[in-house]
Amino acid sequence: MVYDSPNLKVKFSERLEIIEKTLVQNPSKHVVFHKQAICKNAAHLDQEMKKVMALKGEGLMIKDPSSMYEPKRSKLLLKVK
């Protein structure tokens, strides 16, 4: 599952577009794009967390769409458990 591309030196939202376009043009049964959504508000976050928990997931990662990739802990990436 692909959800980011750190080697692309563009904003997160642009990296997602490039990944999705590349995988549409070059389909693979072994690689799929992980669709992402923009968090609208706290109620939306709670709704998405319930879905993740129902699937036995740990939580969600929230990232600023305009952020560049940082190879370290960042205030622009929040783990919600």
Side-chain angles (χ1 to χ4, degrees):
M1 187 163 300
V2 178
Y3 54 89
D4 201 349
S5 181
N7 291 335
L8 295 174
K9 306 298 182 208
V10 294
K11 296 185 294 185
F12 181 61
S13 59
E14 293 174 49
R15 293 194 307 269
L16 293 180
E17 290 174 13
I18 292 168
I19 294 166
E20 188 170 24
K21 184 178 178 181
T22 300
L23 290 174
V24 165
Q25 293 173 348
N26 304 284
S28 169
K29 61 182 178 182
H30 302 290
V31 179
V32 294
F33 177 66
H34 187 322
K35 202 74 162 153
Q36 303 197 26
I38 294 177
C39 185
K40 299 171 189 160
N41 52 40
H44 182 227
L45 178 60
D46 288 341
Q47 178 185 6
E48 293 301 312
M49 272 300 287
K50 287 177 184 174
K51 290 178 188 177
V52 168
M53 300 307 286
L55 295 169
K56 308 277 190 239
E58 283 187 23
L60 295 167
M61 300 297 287
I62 300 177
K63 185 158 183 81
D64 180 345
S66 64
S67 66
M68 300 300 285
Y69 182 79
E70 294 181 287
K72 61 181 182 174
R73 291 186 185 264
S74 170
K75 293 178 183 178
L76 302 173
L77 178 63
L78 176 65
K79 185 185 289 188
V80 180
K81 287 186 163 193

